[in-house]
């Protein structure tokens, strides 16, 4: 009997699209939530168990081999330095990483401050980006909603993935700089047996066949006056 | 306040298991003619750094001693052995082939943000001065015998040739900085990433296909065939492919076919590996048990032309793998006779303890409560 493959999906904004693509591959995940583990015996060459985990934890479970495969964004892979393989890239879940601030501020006005304070859930990336460009900044790590940190006065700006332009415009914020991008990866434990790899490879082939097309890119709300 | 020590002391049970592992390993190593070498815990950083790659340097724990010399704690044993043997070979005190084994702790800084200190106990061998498949197969057989003798059933050697990856990346014409990024994408089994980077650079399609083939998740002998079909006129590649095929055929003929998997993306581990290399993995613990590989240029960093190949197993990973079975075999915690010692007349109690120890029975002294 082949060992079952456990697949962990992240409980984040990409879940509906993940359910749709895996659904097109024959994995009915509509009943999936935090309380259930779905057992799907006949989809790939090994029994498949699908479960939901907090998105920041998926990489840890896969790295330690408790689950054999998972879906993780590249910004988390970079931030946590997970030692996992990443054999498939999803078409959705690609977001720009931006430096943002309240409307009216510019990159020049922010960097003119004696010490620029930036709130971010991705402190390692932020530190590396600014150090590489010779900026002296104070990185303020927050788990989520760095925008709130700016509104409350904890920081002068923030660095985060931009999932939708409205996340900035609805709150009178704007993007100052596109710092990078993040994408969504199927990740795999690095100590898998040949049989498990074969089973996961067959899942990847199904995903490739069902790759969605025309996934729109997020438009970044730079101010027009920034460009002038 | 929550405090946790950076270096956790090994638990009593783990120490016992590690000692047993070391004993078994040294028996196997000496059976193949390997002599145990003691490696210094402290060394001059300047004298070893020539053998360390950038990652190892970054992960080395260094400090300045009272005279102002930069010292380092043992980070990687192979470069230290290489340095020691270079001096010994130069002086004529030893002659190749040299077979050495070791059982030593190493100390490294973690790759993560916290940069915490991580200790690891390593058991390994180095075979110096035996080039080609003869040396490589010997090292595989030593490692295979040890794992089998320890009763580890669920393990697999993922085997690659660093030389093939280096050759293809060089031939592709990709600049050195990009080659490092592509190398990381291959190790991550990310063919999409490999194709995307190389295509953006305008690399010729056959090299994009060849390098992406290395990153195949499934691995297997078919990778070798695919590479040969993509680049049929590349003589150097053909020679290396033939070499790894012969390795696989020989180990298969010796009864280890199901233990060996060709996996051309297995390019992790030490930066000085430049030929056949392997990663020993166990799916049930979800991580590597150890690594090994051929190094042909490491000695040159210390001023001598010589080849070597070695491997090291992580005692912690092996203990994790063996723990349930080991304690089952031991029948749980042994019974220990407790002997109460009266503060007024201690002779009688200690005499009793000595009598137990004379028969090699466990004894534990317990002060008698007043």
């Amino acid at each position: 009997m082949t060992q079952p493959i456990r697949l962990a999906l992240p409980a984040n904004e990409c879940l509906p699209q993940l359910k749709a693509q895996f659904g097109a591959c024959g994995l009915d995940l509509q009943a999936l939530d935090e309380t259930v583990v779905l057992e799907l015996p006949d989809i790939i060459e090994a029994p498949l168990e699908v479960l939901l985990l907090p998105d920041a934890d998926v990489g840890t479970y896969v790295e330690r081999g408790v689950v054999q495969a998972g879906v993780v964004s590249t910004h988390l892979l970079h931030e946590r330095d997970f030692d996992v393989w990443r054999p498939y890239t999803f078409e959705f879940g690609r977001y720009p990483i931006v430096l943002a601030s309240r409307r009216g501020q510019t990159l020049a006005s922010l960097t003119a401050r004696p010490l620029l304070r930036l709130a971010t859930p991705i402190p390692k990336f932020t530190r590396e980006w600014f150090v590489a460009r010779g900026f002296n900044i104070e990185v303020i790590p927050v788990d989520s909603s760095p925008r709130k940190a700016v509104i409350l006065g904890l920081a002068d700006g923030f660095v985060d993935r931009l999932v939708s332009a409205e996340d900035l415009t609805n709150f009178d914020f704007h993007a100052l700089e596109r710092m990078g991008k993040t994408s969504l990866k199927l990740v795999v434990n690095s100590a898998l047996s040949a049989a498990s790899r074969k089973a996961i490879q067959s899942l990847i082939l199904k995903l490739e066949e069902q790759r969605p097309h025309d996934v729109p890119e997020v438009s970044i709300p730079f101010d027009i006056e920034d460009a002038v | 306040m929550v405090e946790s020590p950076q270096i956790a002391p090994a638990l009593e049970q783990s120490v016992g298991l590690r000692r047993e592992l070391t004993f078994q390993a040294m028996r196997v190593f000496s059976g193949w003619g390997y002599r145990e070498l003691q490696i210094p815990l402290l060394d001059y950083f300047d004298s070893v750094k020539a053998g360390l790659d950038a990652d190892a340097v970054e992960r080395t724990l260094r400090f300045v001693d009272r005279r102002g010399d930069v010292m380092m704690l043992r980070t990687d044993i192979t470069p230290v052995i290489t340095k020691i043997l270079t001096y010994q070979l130069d002086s004529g005190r030893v002659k190749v082939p040299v077979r050495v084994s070791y059982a030593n702790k190493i100390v490294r800084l973690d790759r993560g943000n916290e940069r915490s200190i991580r200790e690891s106990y390593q058991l390994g061998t180095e075979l110096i001065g035996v080039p080609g498949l003869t040396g490589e197969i010997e090292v595989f057989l030593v490692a295979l015998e040890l794992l089998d003798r320890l009763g580890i059933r669920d393990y697999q050697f993922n085997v690659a040739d660093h030389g093939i990856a280096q050759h293809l990346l060089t031939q592709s014409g990709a600049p050195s900085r990009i080659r490092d990024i592509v190398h990381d994408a291959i190790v991550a089994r990310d063919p999409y990433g490999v194709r995307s980077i190389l295509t953006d650079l305008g690399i010729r399609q056959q090299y994009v296909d060849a390098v992406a083939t290395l990153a195949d998740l499934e691995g297997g002998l078919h990778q070798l065939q695919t590479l040969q079909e993509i680049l049929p006129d590349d003589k150097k590649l053909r020679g290396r492919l033939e070499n790894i095929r012969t390795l696989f055929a020989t180990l298969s003929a010796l009864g280890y076919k199901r233990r060996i998997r060709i996996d051309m993306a297995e390019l992790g581990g030490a930066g000085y590996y430049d030929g056949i290399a392997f990663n020993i993995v166990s799916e049930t613990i979800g991580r590597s048990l150890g690594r090994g590989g051929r190094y042909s240029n490491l000695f040159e960093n210390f001023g001598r032309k010589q080849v070597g190949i070695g491997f090291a197993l992580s005692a912690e990973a092996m203990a994790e793998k063996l723990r349930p079975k080991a304690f089952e075999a031991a029948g749980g915690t042994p019974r220990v006779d407790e002997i109460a010692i009266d503060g007024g007349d201690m002779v009688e109690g200690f005499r009793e303890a000595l009598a137990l120890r004379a028969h090699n029975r466990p004894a534990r002294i317990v002060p008698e409560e007043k």
Side-chain angles (χ1 to χ4, degrees):
Chain A
M1 177 71 180
T2 314
Q3 285 279 94
I5 301 289
R6 280 192 193 148
L7 168 68
L9 299 187
N12 65 13
E13 72 287 336
C14 293
L15 188 58
Q17 290 158 295
L18 285 168
K19 282 184 174 181
Q21 189 174 352
F22 279 108
C25 297
L27 282 72
D28 182 5
L29 304 180
Q30 289 313 310
L32 183 67
D33 64 29
E34 285 90 345
T35 62
V36 298
V37 175
L38 293 180
E39 294 184 8
L40 303 159
D42 303 318
I43 305 295
I44 55 172
E45 293 172 25
L48 188 63
E49 297 173 1
V50 187
L51 64 152
L52 208 56
L53 288 172
D55 59 350
D57 292 346
V58 174
T60 307
Y61 281 79
V62 176
E63 184 179 41
R64 304 292 174 119
V66 175
V67 301
Q68 285 71 39
V71 177
V72 183
S73 195
T74 51
H75 74 284
L76 286 172
L77 292 175
H78 178 77
E79 219 43 47
R80 304 286 187 87
D81 221 358
F82 290 125
D83 183 12
V84 292
W85 298 341
R86 39 175 208 264
Y88 181 76
T89 308
F90 290 90
E91 200 62 35
F92 45 84
R94 298 169 193 267
Y95 302 117
I97 296 174
V98 297
L99 167 64
S101 73
R102 288 177 187 276
R103 198 176 292 276
Q105 289 175 319
T106 63
L107 188 58
S109 70
L110 278 185
T111 52
R113 292 168 188 247
L115 186 61
L116 174 59
R117 301 169 305 156
L118 294 176
T120 181
I122 43 175
K124 182 182 171 196
F125 170 83
T126 305
R127 198 171 289 117
E128 287 171 356
W129 194 91
F130 280 97
V131 165
R133 285 155 183 80
F135 286 103
N136 182 27
I137 60 159
E138 183 185 359
V139 175
I140 302 172
V142 290
D143 272 350
S144 61
S145 192
R147 188 184 58 231
K148 194 177 282 179
V150 179
I151 293 169
L152 293 174
L154 181 66
D156 308 310
F158 73 85
V159 174
D160 199 4
R161 290 181 310 153
L162 184 65
V163 175
S164 116
E166 289 73 37
D167 289 346
L168 295 181
T169 54
N170 288 355
F171 299 89
D172 208 24
F173 275 67
H174 70 147
L176 294 171
E177 186 78 30
R178 186 184 199 276
M179 301 168 66
K181 61 183 178 183
T182 178
S183 57
L184 201 60
K185 298 275 187 182
L186 180 77
V187 298
V188 174
N189 175 263
S190 60
L192 288 187
S193 66
S196 298
R197 288 201 216 184
K198 198 173 175 193
I200 291 172
Q201 184 65 41
S202 68
L203 177 63
I204 290 171
L205 290 176
K206 284 176 189 288
L207 287 168
E208 193 55 52
E209 283 169 12
Q210 302 299 333
R211 183 182 283 278
H213 299 290
D214 305 326
V215 178
E217 285 198 12
V218 177
S219 67
I220 305 174
F222 292 110
D223 271 354
I224 294 169
E225 61 265 30
D226 292 344
V228 174
Chain B
M1 190 174 79
V2 178
E3 275 189 20
S4 60
Q6 284 192 306
I7 303 176
L11 298 175
E12 180 192 350
Q13 293 174 336
S14 300
V15 173
L17 192 50
R18 198 178 67 195
R19 192 173 294 130
E20 179 62 24
L21 280 170
T22 307
F23 176 71
Q24 295 280 1
M26 288 305 154
R27 274 181 61 176
V28 172
F29 297 161
S30 67
W32 285 88
Y34 288 77
R35 290 184 310 134
E36 188 175 357
L37 198 64
Q38 280 298 320
I39 314 296
L41 171 66
L42 277 174
D43 214 327
Y44 291 99
F45 176 66
D46 282 343
S47 73
V48 180
K49 76 175 177 192
L52 302 174
D53 60 29
D55 180 59
V57 168
E58 200 181 321
R59 299 179 70 188
T60 301
L61 195 65
R62 281 166 280 173
F63 57 92
V64 178
D65 74 0
R66 281 184 296 180
R67 290 176 303 182
D69 292 316
V70 180
M71 307 300 290
M72 60 174 278
L73 290 179
R74 226 168 20 217
T75 303
D76 184 349
I77 292 169
T78 304
V80 180
I81 288 180
T82 307
K83 183 190 79 167
I84 293 169
L85 288 179
T86 298
Y87 297 140
Q88 295 197 347
L89 287 164
D90 284 347
S91 68
R93 271 183 287 175
V94 295
K95 295 199 184 316
V96 291
V98 183
R99 290 177 170 84
V100 292
S101 64
Y102 56 85
N104 282 120
K105 260 192 181 175
I106 58 165
V107 182
R108 285 179 180 162
L109 295 170
D110 244 352
R111 283 200 179 90
N113 274 349
E114 292 81 14
R115 309 293 290 167
S116 54
I117 299 165
R118 180 171 293 186
E119 281 187 62
S120 171
Y121 192 78
Q122 300 212 324
L123 306 162
T125 66
E126 305 294 340
L127 171 58
I128 311 302
V130 182
L133 284 178
T134 312
E136 281 142 19
I137 290 168
E138 175 179 323
V139 168
F140 270 86
L141 293 180
V142 174
L144 283 158
E145 182 188 327
L146 176 57
L147 291 163
D148 284 345
R149 278 189 187 268
L150 290 171
I152 295 177
R153 289 195 178 84
D154 154 42
Y155 70 86
Q156 178 181 294
F157 282 58
N158 296 332
V159 184
D161 181 350
H162 285 248
I164 289 178
Q166 287 165 10
H167 172 67
L168 292 177
L169 285 169
T170 307
Q171 290 296 305
S172 75
S176 151
R177 187 180 59 84
I178 301 293
R179 288 206 293 266
D180 291 345
I181 298 170
V182 176
H183 179 276
D184 290 348
I186 297 169
V187 173
R189 275 69 169 175
D190 184 4
Y192 175 90
V194 170
R195 285 186 181 281
S196 157
I197 299 163
L198 294 180
T199 305
D200 285 352
L201 280 175
I203 301 294
R204 279 175 291 165
Q205 190 59 42
Q206 60 183 153
Y207 283 102
V208 176
D209 293 341
V211 178
T213 300
L214 299 177
D216 179 39
L217 171 69
E218 215 179 320
L221 273 174
H222 74 271
Q223 277 184 302
L224 309 183
Q225 185 61 33
T226 308
L227 286 169
Q228 197 155 347
E229 284 167 8
I230 295 170
L231 295 165
D233 301 326
D234 189 327
K235 284 184 185 157
K236 188 172 179 186
L237 175 67
R238 195 187 308 159
R240 282 200 169 267
L241 292 173
E242 203 44 51
N243 191 57
I244 198 166
R245 274 197 194 100
T246 308
L247 174 90
F248 183 77
T250 308
L251 289 169
S252 297
L254 293 169
Y256 292 109
K257 186 174 182 180
R258 71 188 183 91
R259 294 295 187 197
I260 308 295
R261 182 158 190 84
I262 302 298
D263 182 354
M264 299 303 284
E266 197 59 84
L267 304 173
Y272 45 76
Y273 291 153
D274 50 20
I276 297 283
F278 54 88
N279 184 17
I280 309 165
V281 296
S282 164
E283 182 166 341
T284 49
I285 61 163
R287 65 180 168 121
S288 172
L289 296 173
R291 282 183 182 275
R294 165 72 72 192
Y295 44 92
S296 303
N297 300 318
L298 185 57
F299 271 93
E300 281 183 33
N301 296 331
F302 297 102
R304 191 180 176 86
K305 199 160 177 58
Q306 193 51 265
V307 297
I309 180 168
F311 77 96
L313 296 173
S314 154
E316 289 81 9
M318 308 257 283
E320 192 179 332
K321 183 82 190 147
L322 289 168
R323 186 173 292 135
K325 199 165 57 180
F327 284 115
E328 212 171 89
T333 310
R335 196 180 75 84
V336 178
D337 284 331
E338 291 189 347
I339 298 152
I341 301 289
D342 179 354
D345 179 12
M346 293 190 286
V347 174
E348 196 56 36
F350 278 117
R351 187 171 281 153
E352 197 182 333
L354 286 172
L356 285 168
R357 293 302 308 132
H359 293 92
N360 210 23
R361 285 172 54 193
R364 182 170 300 154
I365 303 300
V366 181
E368 194 168 74
E369 288 181 20
K370 298 281 180 194

